[in-house]
């Protein structure tokens, strides 16, 4: 098991986002537990993840910046060091400032591998 320097990875992702046309970058963190996926996502101000569904129950922790989670007519603003559940319906994520978020998703169990 190894550790991840989230501060360093955040800086690298923001740099990649600045060089990419979508103005966002992400890295899924290594995790030894089936059923949990954690992804560090960097979005430059004005960037967004368009409307989508979550593969399972999810939460968002903003490490830096400010984002908005939009689900239908409901908007939740989330700032630095704030935590929010992700709505269990179609939603989008918008960055109001250069931001880094930790997305945690409970994904369905994977099918067992054949012997």
């Amino acid at each position: 098991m190894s550790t991840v320097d989230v501060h360093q990875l955040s800086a690298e992702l923001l740099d990649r986002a600045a060089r990419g046309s979508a103005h966002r970058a992400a890295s899924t963190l290594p995790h030894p537990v089936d059923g949990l996926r954690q992804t560090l996502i960097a979005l430059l101000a004005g960037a967004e993840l368009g409307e989508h569904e979550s593969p399972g129950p999810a939460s968002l922790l903003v490490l830096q910046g400010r984002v908005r989670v939009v689900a239908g007519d409901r908007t939740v603003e989330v700032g630095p060091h704030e935590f929010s559940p992700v709505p269990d319906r179609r939603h989008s994520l918008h960055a109001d400032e250069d931001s880094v978020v930790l997305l945690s998703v409970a994904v369905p169990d994977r099918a067992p591998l054949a012997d």
Side-chain angles (χ1 to χ4, degrees):
M1 187 153 111
S2 63
T3 62
V4 174
D5 183 329
V6 173
H7 182 72
Q8 179 181 341
L9 182 56
S10 295
E12 291 170 11
L13 290 173
L14 283 168
D15 183 57
R16 280 188 14 213
R19 290 183 278 120
S21 60
H23 302 293
R24 63 181 189 242
S27 178
T28 299
L29 302 176
H31 206 283
V33 177
D34 274 347
L36 177 63
R37 182 174 65 213
Q38 293 181 297
T39 305
L40 205 59
I41 304 169
L43 303 114
L44 298 186
E48 66 179 60
L49 294 176
E51 193 174 72
H52 60 280
E53 304 244 354
S54 178
S59 63
L60 192 70
L61 174 65
V62 176
L63 301 176
Q64 69 182 75
R66 289 200 157 284
V67 299
R68 286 176 287 125
V69 179
V70 179
D73 61 354
R74 185 155 187 252
T75 299
V76 175
E77 295 182 11
V78 191
H81 312 289
E82 292 182 336
F83 171 90
S84 176
V86 173
D88 186 22
R89 60 188 240 191
R90 291 188 66 76
H91 59 277
S92 57
L93 178 67
H94 305 263
D96 294 326
E97 301 174 358
D98 290 356
S99 301
V100 178
V101 301
L102 177 65
L103 174 66
S104 299
V105 181
V107 292
D109 290 334
R110 298 180 202 164
L113 298 174
D115 289 332

